Amino acid sequence: DRYAVTAQIGVFEEGAHQLRDPLYLWKSAVWAAMAALLDGRLARVEELARDALAAGRPSEAATAPQYCTFQMFVVRREQRRTAEIEQSVSEQASQYALRGWQAAQALVRAETHDVDGAREQLGRLILEDLEAGLRDSDWMVACMLLSELACELQEREAAGALYELLAPYASMNVVAGVGAVCLGPVSQALGRLALARGKSAAAVDHL
């Protein structure tokens, strides 16, 4: 419920400013950026992401830069300016052993002319991490990002593996972190994966 989310963010923001708690102020700024991203106001997202980073550094020195980078990763991809975020994403992928960052790095590689590197990373992540690893929120973020990559690269085998992994979660929406970015409904990813596999009827059902 988009309207309920907006209302909840507004209530939280009001309380955060009343309490002046650094953690709450940071979360409020992060959620404002997420809401702007949902609305497609990309320039506003940049402003709010920087505000969130500044607000979060005192209490969330490790997490605040990750949230800011991930929000800007989504913005730059929407703007077809992925190369501008390549270094920041690579730094996060090197610093944190999170599958979500590895998947983001693979997408960046594919969109900055390192298709072979992206394809290798896609296969390795599915085989070594996603099929056998812990299915937590990071797992879901990685699956969603790699679904985009598999479709972009037209990797039918990878698309099939990701389809099977995500199918049990078809009714869910995926959010990265604690409200950093909404990656959308799993059903949409399943529809695109079905198309990549040449299964048009299944794609229509999901989409």
Side-chain angles (χ1 to χ4, degrees):
D1 187 332
R2 181 69 172 83
Y3 295 105
V5 169
T6 300
Q8 187 66 32
I9 290 174
V11 170
F12 189 92
E13 182 179 6
E14 182 178 351
H17 284 284
Q18 288 177 353
L19 294 172
R20 304 303 302 170
D21 182 283
L23 177 61
Y24 294 163
L25 289 169
W26 169 64
K27 285 186 176 181
S28 175
V30 167
W31 293 345
M34 179 190 70
L37 191 55
L38 287 172
D39 292 337
R41 295 181 287 128
L42 302 184
R44 182 61 176 151
V45 176
E46 292 192 47
E47 296 174 6
L48 292 169
R50 288 194 294 267
D51 291 346
L53 178 60
R57 284 194 185 279
S59 61
E60 297 292 329
T63 307
Q66 292 190 71
Y67 277 29
C68 181
T69 300
F70 199 79
Q71 288 177 332
M72 291 308 303
F73 160 72
V74 176
V75 168
R76 292 293 180 249
R77 290 190 67 225
E78 288 290 334
Q79 295 171 328
R80 301 295 187 267
R81 295 161 56 187
T82 307
E84 295 178 25
I85 200 69
E86 180 179 8
Q87 181 176 346
S88 296
V89 169
S90 294
E91 289 172 355
Q92 299 293 347
S94 297
Q95 187 171 359
Y96 299 102
L98 295 173
R99 292 166 291 186
W101 280 123
Q102 301 301 315
Q105 184 182 44
L107 264 172
V108 169
R109 283 178 169 167
E111 295 172 5
T112 54
H113 311 296
D114 183 12
V115 173
D116 290 340
R119 185 172 283 113
E120 184 277 330
Q121 198 165 6
L122 170 66
R124 177 171 50 80
L125 281 168
I126 292 174
L127 182 63
E128 297 180 5
D129 294 308
L130 299 184
E131 291 185 331
L134 176 67
R135 299 194 177 191
D136 55 9
S137 58
D138 178 49
W139 179 90
M140 185 68 82
V141 169
C143 282
M144 291 292 283
L145 295 179
L146 291 178
S147 294
E148 288 193 58
L149 180 59
C151 293
E152 284 187 17
L153 299 180
Q154 287 296 298
E155 286 287 333
R156 296 186 65 160
E157 184 176 348
L162 288 161
Y163 185 95
E164 295 302 321
L165 290 171
L166 283 172
Y169 311 98
S171 63
M172 294 185 178
N173 287 296
V174 178
V175 177
V178 186
V181 171
C182 180
L183 295 174
V186 173
S187 59
Q188 184 179 59
L190 290 170
R192 293 188 65 197
L193 290 168
L195 279 176
R197 301 169 68 200
K199 298 184 179 296
S200 300
V204 170
D205 289 339
H206 289 299
L207 297 172

